[in-house]
């Protein structure tokens, strides 16, 4: 994928926005550690798979939040300044990866 | 989903098997922390989404390894003792969740 | 999901655009009929699953093309007229469904 | 993916089993034709994406039914005759493709 434009979002994330995402990621990090413990305790495979599915769902939700903000700020700003197509191509590329 | 049978796999995981899965989960845990850092540094949304996609792929791989061992041991043992259908129904239920 | 705005795209699809999508859908329709034949001939389950996976991939590709055009036209137009957020919420809702 | 064993399931599908799967595929075929019509009528992109998501979900359900029968018959038979691991490796390969 060609890198389109930025090192940062066009509108910086506020402290609250950052905190909200970081909190969700910390919870996911805890869930990943929880699975390590399940494996070490030799817990039943299906119970482990249920937890892995839960993490995937939580991670997808974080991804969709990041994507939504991206479209509402970076992509929208690009559209307004006439660079919409490049930003949208980049968006679609990453959504294809993400939705696998 | 009805819990089929077990608290543990029918054949206990060896120390090496556990270690291999735990190592992969530790790497994923590190990747999740890496994304927290990216958010705190207000990094570009698309770069964050690429990392989230990588974690999802890694997590799916761990899930498929757990599932493969589950079918090779727990489900196979159930098949041999005539309890195959219950074990397979349970397997399919969790694979549906997992492949969402 | 709340219906946002339209019965039609903000920019009508050209005859060529329609034809390109319809051709891909006709090919998919043929693949679905192909699987019916495989089932009637009692073909091996794994071969059928490979074909089903191929159809899903093809269908996803069509979906991403429709989504890309949607963002480049309808969503971009909404952004320019100050209705971006509604259009983007609607987009994210359908992408969540679509990426399951 | 290496082809494991068969041209047919180890236990032939009954006429009723075939009919049930074919009926579901015919319904999906009709849905694919429905989308062609929507494109020709230049219907709103999001409405088309909703239909595509519905087809993907229906196709996945058919796939899971085929997979379930496969595990209950072909894989189980392989397990009983000591060829389980090859059958399970083949199963996991196709499930990875399928769950993308």
């Amino acid at each position: 994928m060609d890198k389109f434009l930025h090192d940062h979002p066009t509108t910086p994330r506020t402290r609250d926005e950052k905190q909200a995402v970081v909190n969700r990621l910390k919870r996911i990090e805890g869930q990943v550690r929880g699975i390590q413990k399940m494996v070490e305790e030799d817990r039943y495979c299906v119970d482990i798979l249920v937890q892995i599915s839960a993490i995937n769902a939580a991670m997808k939700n974080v991804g969709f939040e990041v994507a939504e903000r991206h479209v509402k700020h970076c992509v929208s700003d690009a559209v307004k300044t006439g660079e919409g197509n490049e930003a949208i191509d980049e968006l679609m590329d990453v959504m294809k990866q993400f939705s696998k």
Side-chain angles (χ1 to χ4, degrees), chain A:
Chain A
M1 179 170 27
D2 255 10
K3 184 65 188 306
F4 166 51
L5 317 150
H6 301 295
D7 291 325
H8 300 284
T10 53
T11 307
R13 291 179 185 89
T14 64
R15 178 181 298 226
D16 281 359
E17 282 182 309
K18 287 182 188 178
Q19 200 54 53
V21 182
V22 167
N23 287 348
R24 295 174 72 164
L25 289 167
K26 275 191 198 303
R27 203 152 39 228
I28 291 171
E29 194 194 327
Q31 289 175 290
V32 176
R33 263 197 305 274
I35 300 182
Q36 291 169 38
K37 195 156 167 287
M38 292 177 83
V39 173
E40 276 156 1
E41 294 169 350
D42 203 30
R43 293 274 299 280
Y44 186 45
C45 326
V46 170
D47 295 335
I48 293 175
L49 284 168
V50 168
Q51 289 306 311
I52 291 179
S53 303
I55 290 180
N56 277 345
M59 207 72 210
K60 284 233 159 178
N61 282 342
V62 174
F64 275 116
E65 294 235 342
V66 172
E68 181 186 324
R69 193 198 186 279
H70 177 59
V71 182
K72 286 192 175 167
H73 292 277
C74 309
V75 177
S76 292
D77 289 347
V79 165
K80 286 174 197 160
T81 60
E83 292 177 299
N85 280 2
E86 292 87 337
I88 294 164
D89 288 341
E90 187 191 55
L91 170 73
M92 297 315 294
D93 277 346
V94 80
M95 292 311 287
K96 276 175 207 172
Q97 266 190 55
F98 176 68
S99 81
K100 264 185 189 166

